[in-house]
Amino acid sequence: QVQLVESGGGLVQDGGSLRLSCTASGRTFSINAMAWYRQAPGQEREFVAAIVTAGAATSYADSMKDRFSISKNRAGNTIFLQMNTLKPEDTAVYYCAARDVRTKSYDYWGQGTQVTVSS
């Protein structure tokens, strides 16, 4: 099993910035990518960004790639999401996820961290 713990959420004003962190522990050798998703009230969960644990490849949702940046530490077990120029519509619970090497699916999820952007 892989455990994911997010941190860094909070309340920020329109136009502000936040940096989220997510650390993976446990059987981390069984994952090859980590990602951020978010879910706003009454909406479906949506993809934000992803990064491979080995190497530098990243991917972003088109609507967020100009304002958000995903990165990782050298060990590849902690990822970050730098969010700039935040808007009220970015308000959501942000979840960290990890992709299993064998299933090729994001099978592991954190509990989420709330991000609230006030207007």
Side-chain angles (χ1 to χ4, degrees):
Q1 283 284 19
V2 175
Q3 294 78 42
L4 302 172
V5 177
E6 304 104 331
S7 62
L11 174 65
V12 64
Q13 289 189 334
D14 191 354
S17 298
L18 275 177
R19 188 188 195 216
L20 307 182
S21 301
C22 172
T23 297
S25 61
R27 298 169 63 89
T28 56
F29 58 84
S30 66
I31 62 174
N32 63 359
M34 294 175 69
W36 291 98
Y37 285 75
R38 70 182 187 184
Q39 187 167 21
Q43 297 186 23
E44 294 188 354
R45 190 172 297 185
E46 65 173 339
F47 171 76
V48 175
I51 188 166
V52 295
T53 55
T58 60
S59 61
Y60 292 89
D62 287 343
S63 61
M64 289 170 259
K65 62 183 178 181
D66 292 335
R67 300 183 295 120
F68 292 4
S69 177
I70 191 169
S71 61
K72 65 181 181 181
N73 67 349
R74 180 172 293 185
N77 67 330
T78 298
I79 63 169
F80 309 94
L81 184 68
Q82 178 67 43
M83 305 185 291
N84 299 324
T85 320
L86 284 162
K87 308 172 183 179
E89 50 264 42
D90 294 316
T91 295
V93 178
Y94 284 71
Y95 295 92
C96 177
R99 189 173 66 193
D100 188 275
V101 171
R102 181 176 54 85
T103 66
K104 298 181 175 58
S105 297
Y106 285 96
D107 293 335
Y108 307 103
W109 293 84
Q111 299 225 357
T113 185
Q114 176 71 45
V115 172
T116 302
V117 184
S118 63
S119 57

